[in-house]
Amino acid sequence: THKSKTELGTKATEVTVEGKTYSTDEWMNTPSTILTAISRRLHLQQDHPLAITRKLIESRFPGYNTHNDLFPVVTVEQNFDSLGFPADHIGRSRTDTYYLNQDTVLRTHTSAHQADTFRANESAGYLISADVYRRDAVDRSHYPVFHQMEGARIWDRGALDAGKSLAQTVWEDVANIPKHDIEVEDPNPTTHAERNPLQDGHSAEDVEAMAAHLKRSLEDVVVAIFSTARSASAATTGGDTAAAPADEPLKVRWVEAYFPFTSPSWELEVFWQGDWLEVLGCGIVRQSILNNAGVSNKVGWAFGLGLERIAMLLYSIPDIRLFWSTDSRFLSQFSAAGPLQRFVPFSKYPACFKDVSFWLHSSSAITGAGGRGRNAQATSHDFHENDIMEIARDVCGDLVEDVRLVDEFVHPKTGRRSFCYRTNYRSLERTLTNDETNELHERFRQQLVEKLGVELR
Ligand code: FA5
Ligand code: MG
């Protein structure tokens, strides 16, 4: 559904996405591999695990309005400005965000629709599920296209029942959220003057109640996901001795966070495969967003969760690339009807690790590489680690599992920097041949030279 003039052999000046045409400029950095993903809409595909996960979460928010087909191309104003992102915020940079032109991006998060949805003011609660796009790391829990669900709940500050405060009203709503008995680690004060401040004009009691409503609502989602996953694993594995993530005791914790559009803010993490996995960010909506949306009499909370991350917990799906598989051995395992069944991985095909080492131009740096290069003088030869990730995706598609920096040093005499990246080639669907991985790796190396100007070692 996309066509650019590049494909016709001339310089691209416009791009058509789902029938809408945009003129491109020097900000355009969206490769065709990303544009072709736009039509997939995995979260709407019948019997797809992301669609089933979405519906399961939606069922925990009765009465909330759902929006599941909002257009993925948004303005910089919608994605960043309306949410209070400062002009120099890193998220705006072309190393992190896919631009079509200076004013137009593929949404990087579902929060891009917050202001418009608050402005429409159709209901107290809403949920927005959608595909989102980010230049990011390559590993088993990150993919440049993924799906988020945004949720928000607002309360009216004015028209309260006689004699009832806003806080009382909210606490009554809290009491209607199903209770759970899991232990949640939450050492954080609701607000903290420096790290997580109460907004001007908000009362501590109101925010205390809304924070409780927010946290309890989201804990309810995680508990529902895990109890569904548990009953599934009991049903399908019987005497299986291999412990699946779903069999581990559920460990959940709240950590303080920062977003330009909420305060106070938190992230919810779940212990998964030996590590804490961040599943969502949330907080009390910045009043300026509600004010600008013409609903200054409202206050409330918002969250944004990663649907893949939740679906991976729900089904024990080990690799985020699997969601894009059209292999029937994957797709046939999921059904919206009937009890949920845990994903049974088809045999794991062999991994093939290959390293590439290269010199940068003297005094240049790779930004974003684990914070490295930050102190180096910015030069015109600098690039971002995400550029390396994107080349790997471009050359290898889903045949690359993971790309990571394994070594870095500075030549004692010349001062030039050397980097070594290790790529793990592995198909989820078959065994790759030696020739195939050699050829992929050679193309990856050549693209690093062509696109980034590095000198291979
Ligand atoms: C946001 O995108 C905020 N818009 C969330 C939010 C909404 C906060 C409303 C407050 C109020 P963040 O960048 O952390 O936040 O992403 C949210 C979630 O998306 C993460 O917790 C994670 O579950 C998921 N996620 C982020 N990057 C990726 C990725 N590359 N691949 C898969 N999932 C991802
Ligand atoms: Mg985050």
Short mmCIF file of all heavy atoms in Angstrom, two decimals, residues 232-260:
data_model
loop_
_atom_site.label_atom_id
_atom_site.label_comp_id
_atom_site.label_asym_id
_atom_site.label_seq_id
_atom_site.Cartn_x
_atom_site.Cartn_y
_atom_site.Cartn_z
N ALA A 232 -3.73 -21.87 31.47
CA ALA A 232 -3.33 -22.39 30.17
C ALA A 232 -2.17 -23.36 30.32
O ALA A 232 -2.19 -24.44 29.75
CB ALA A 232 -2.91 -21.25 29.26
N SER A 233 -1.18 -23.00 31.13
CA SER A 233 -0.03 -23.89 31.21
C SER A 233 -0.42 -25.19 31.87
O SER A 233 0.06 -26.25 31.48
CB SER A 233 1.12 -23.22 31.94
OG SER A 233 0.70 -22.79 33.20
N ALA A 234 -1.33 -25.14 32.86
CA ALA A 234 -1.78 -26.37 33.49
C ALA A 234 -2.49 -27.25 32.47
O ALA A 234 -2.31 -28.46 32.43
CB ALA A 234 -2.70 -26.05 34.65
N ALA A 235 -3.27 -26.64 31.62
CA ALA A 235 -4.07 -27.40 30.67
C ALA A 235 -3.21 -28.05 29.59
O ALA A 235 -3.49 -29.14 29.14
CB ALA A 235 -5.11 -26.49 30.02
N THR A 236 -2.15 -27.39 29.16
CA THR A 236 -1.45 -27.90 27.99
C THR A 236 -0.18 -28.68 28.31
O THR A 236 0.26 -29.47 27.50
CB THR A 236 -1.05 -26.76 27.04
OG1 THR A 236 -0.36 -25.78 27.78
CG2 THR A 236 -2.28 -26.16 26.39
N THR A 237 0.43 -28.48 29.48
CA THR A 237 1.73 -29.12 29.66
C THR A 237 1.71 -30.35 30.56
O THR A 237 2.62 -31.15 30.51
CB THR A 237 2.78 -28.14 30.21
OG1 THR A 237 2.27 -27.56 31.38
CG2 THR A 237 3.11 -27.10 29.18
N GLY A 238 0.66 -30.53 31.35
CA GLY A 238 0.56 -31.72 32.17
C GLY A 238 1.84 -32.03 32.93
O GLY A 238 2.23 -31.31 33.82
N GLY A 239 2.50 -33.11 32.55
CA GLY A 239 3.69 -33.55 33.28
C GLY A 239 4.99 -32.90 32.84
O GLY A 239 6.05 -33.28 33.28
N ASP A 240 4.89 -31.94 31.95
CA ASP A 240 6.09 -31.25 31.47
C ASP A 240 6.90 -30.71 32.64
O ASP A 240 6.38 -30.02 33.51
CB ASP A 240 5.65 -30.10 30.56
CG ASP A 240 6.80 -29.56 29.74
OD1 ASP A 240 7.96 -29.85 30.08
OD2 ASP A 240 6.54 -28.85 28.76
N THR A 241 8.19 -31.01 32.68
CA THR A 241 8.99 -30.57 33.83
C THR A 241 9.67 -29.23 33.59
O THR A 241 10.06 -28.56 34.52
CB THR A 241 10.08 -31.61 34.16
OG1 THR A 241 10.76 -31.94 32.96
CG2 THR A 241 9.47 -32.85 34.78
N ALA A 242 9.83 -28.84 32.34
CA ALA A 242 10.50 -27.57 32.06
C ALA A 242 9.66 -26.42 32.58
O ALA A 242 8.51 -26.28 32.22
CB ALA A 242 10.73 -27.42 30.56
N ALA A 243 10.25 -25.61 33.47
CA ALA A 243 9.50 -24.50 34.05
C ALA A 243 9.33 -23.39 33.01
O ALA A 243 10.31 -22.90 32.46
CB ALA A 243 10.21 -23.96 35.28
N ALA A 244 8.13 -23.04 32.73
CA ALA A 244 7.86 -21.93 31.82
C ALA A 244 7.67 -20.68 32.65
O ALA A 244 7.36 -20.77 33.84
CB ALA A 244 6.61 -22.23 31.01
N PRO A 245 7.89 -19.51 32.04
CA PRO A 245 7.74 -18.27 32.81
C PRO A 245 6.39 -18.18 33.52
O PRO A 245 6.31 -17.67 34.62
CB PRO A 245 7.86 -17.18 31.73
CG PRO A 245 8.62 -17.83 30.62
CD PRO A 245 8.30 -19.28 30.67
N ALA A 246 5.37 -18.72 32.88
CA ALA A 246 4.03 -18.63 33.47
C ALA A 246 3.93 -19.40 34.78
O ALA A 246 3.02 -19.20 35.55
CB ALA A 246 2.99 -19.13 32.48
N ASP A 247 4.88 -20.33 35.02
CA ASP A 247 4.81 -21.13 36.24
C ASP A 247 5.54 -20.48 37.40
O ASP A 247 5.41 -20.89 38.54
CB ASP A 247 5.41 -22.52 35.99
CG ASP A 247 4.65 -23.26 34.90
OD1 ASP A 247 3.42 -23.09 34.85
OD2 ASP A 247 5.28 -23.97 34.11
N GLU A 248 6.39 -19.49 37.11
CA GLU A 248 7.10 -18.81 38.17
C GLU A 248 6.11 -17.97 38.97
O GLU A 248 5.14 -17.47 38.41
CB GLU A 248 8.17 -17.89 37.58
CG GLU A 248 9.31 -18.63 36.93
CD GLU A 248 10.20 -17.71 36.11
OE1 GLU A 248 10.05 -16.47 36.22
OE2 GLU A 248 11.03 -18.24 35.34
N PRO A 249 6.39 -17.79 40.29
CA PRO A 249 5.49 -16.90 41.03
C PRO A 249 5.54 -15.50 40.41
O PRO A 249 6.61 -15.04 39.99
CB PRO A 249 6.07 -16.91 42.45
CG PRO A 249 7.44 -17.47 42.33
CD PRO A 249 7.48 -18.32 41.08
N LEU A 250 4.39 -14.88 40.35
CA LEU A 250 4.31 -13.55 39.74
C LEU A 250 4.99 -12.52 40.64
O LEU A 250 4.66 -12.37 41.80
CB LEU A 250 2.83 -13.19 39.55
CG LEU A 250 2.50 -11.81 39.02
CD1 LEU A 250 3.21 -11.53 37.71
CD2 LEU A 250 1.00 -11.65 38.86
N LYS A 251 5.99 -11.83 40.07
CA LYS A 251 6.66 -10.77 40.82
C LYS A 251 6.49 -9.46 40.06
O LYS A 251 6.82 -9.38 38.88
CB LYS A 251 8.15 -11.07 40.98
CG LYS A 251 8.47 -11.99 42.13
CD LYS A 251 9.90 -11.79 42.66
CE LYS A 251 10.92 -12.40 41.75
NZ LYS A 251 12.30 -12.23 42.25
N VAL A 252 5.96 -8.47 40.75
CA VAL A 252 5.60 -7.21 40.11
C VAL A 252 6.15 -6.06 40.94
O VAL A 252 6.15 -6.14 42.17
CB VAL A 252 4.05 -7.08 40.04
CG1 VAL A 252 3.65 -5.78 39.41
CG2 VAL A 252 3.45 -8.25 39.28
N ARG A 253 6.62 -5.02 40.29
CA ARG A 253 7.04 -3.86 41.09
C ARG A 253 6.77 -2.55 40.34
O ARG A 253 6.78 -2.50 39.11
CB ARG A 253 8.52 -3.94 41.46
CG ARG A 253 9.47 -3.73 40.30
CD ARG A 253 10.92 -3.73 40.79
NE ARG A 253 11.82 -3.42 39.67
CZ ARG A 253 13.14 -3.59 39.71
NH1 ARG A 253 13.71 -4.08 40.80
NH2 ARG A 253 13.88 -3.28 38.67
N TRP A 254 6.50 -1.51 41.12
CA TRP A 254 6.34 -0.15 40.60
C TRP A 254 7.65 0.59 40.78
O TRP A 254 8.25 0.52 41.84
CB TRP A 254 5.23 0.58 41.36
CG TRP A 254 3.85 0.11 41.01
CD1 TRP A 254 3.05 -0.70 41.76
CD2 TRP A 254 3.12 0.42 39.82
NE1 TRP A 254 1.87 -0.93 41.10
CE2 TRP A 254 1.88 -0.24 39.91
CE3 TRP A 254 3.39 1.19 38.68
CZ2 TRP A 254 0.91 -0.15 38.91
CZ3 TRP A 254 2.44 1.28 37.69
CH2 TRP A 254 1.21 0.61 37.81
N VAL A 255 8.08 1.30 39.73
CA VAL A 255 9.25 2.16 39.87
C VAL A 255 8.88 3.57 39.42
O VAL A 255 7.99 3.75 38.59
CB VAL A 255 10.46 1.63 39.04
CG1 VAL A 255 10.91 0.27 39.55
CG2 VAL A 255 10.13 1.55 37.56
N GLU A 256 9.56 4.55 39.98
CA GLU A 256 9.29 5.94 39.58
C GLU A 256 9.77 6.15 38.16
O GLU A 256 10.74 5.53 37.72
CB GLU A 256 10.02 6.90 40.52
CG GLU A 256 9.38 6.97 41.88
CD GLU A 256 10.14 7.90 42.83
OE1 GLU A 256 11.30 8.25 42.52
OE2 GLU A 256 9.57 8.25 43.87
N ALA A 257 9.09 7.02 37.43
CA ALA A 257 9.45 7.25 36.03
C ALA A 257 9.29 8.73 35.74
O ALA A 257 8.87 9.53 36.60
CB ALA A 257 8.58 6.42 35.11
N TYR A 258 9.66 9.09 34.51
CA TYR A 258 9.43 10.46 34.08
C TYR A 258 8.85 10.46 32.66
O TYR A 258 9.36 9.79 31.78
CB TYR A 258 10.74 11.28 34.09
CG TYR A 258 10.51 12.63 33.46
CD1 TYR A 258 9.91 13.65 34.21
CD2 TYR A 258 10.78 12.85 32.11
CE1 TYR A 258 9.63 14.87 33.62
CE2 TYR A 258 10.49 14.08 31.52
CZ TYR A 258 9.91 15.08 32.28
OH TYR A 258 9.60 16.27 31.70
N PHE A 259 7.77 11.17 32.46
CA PHE A 259 7.24 11.46 31.12
C PHE A 259 6.89 12.93 31.08
O PHE A 259 6.42 13.47 32.08
CB PHE A 259 5.98 10.62 30.82
CG PHE A 259 6.21 9.14 30.89
CD1 PHE A 259 5.84 8.42 32.02
CD2 PHE A 259 6.82 8.46 29.85
CE1 PHE A 259 6.07 7.04 32.10
CE2 PHE A 259 7.06 7.10 29.91
CZ PHE A 259 6.69 6.39 31.04
N PRO A 260 7.09 13.59 29.91
CA PRO A 260 6.77 15.02 29.87
C PRO A 260 5.27 15.29 30.06
O PRO A 260 4.89 16.41 30.35
CB PRO A 260 7.19 15.43 28.44
CG PRO A 260 8.09 14.35 27.94
CD PRO A 260 7.68 13.11 28.66
#
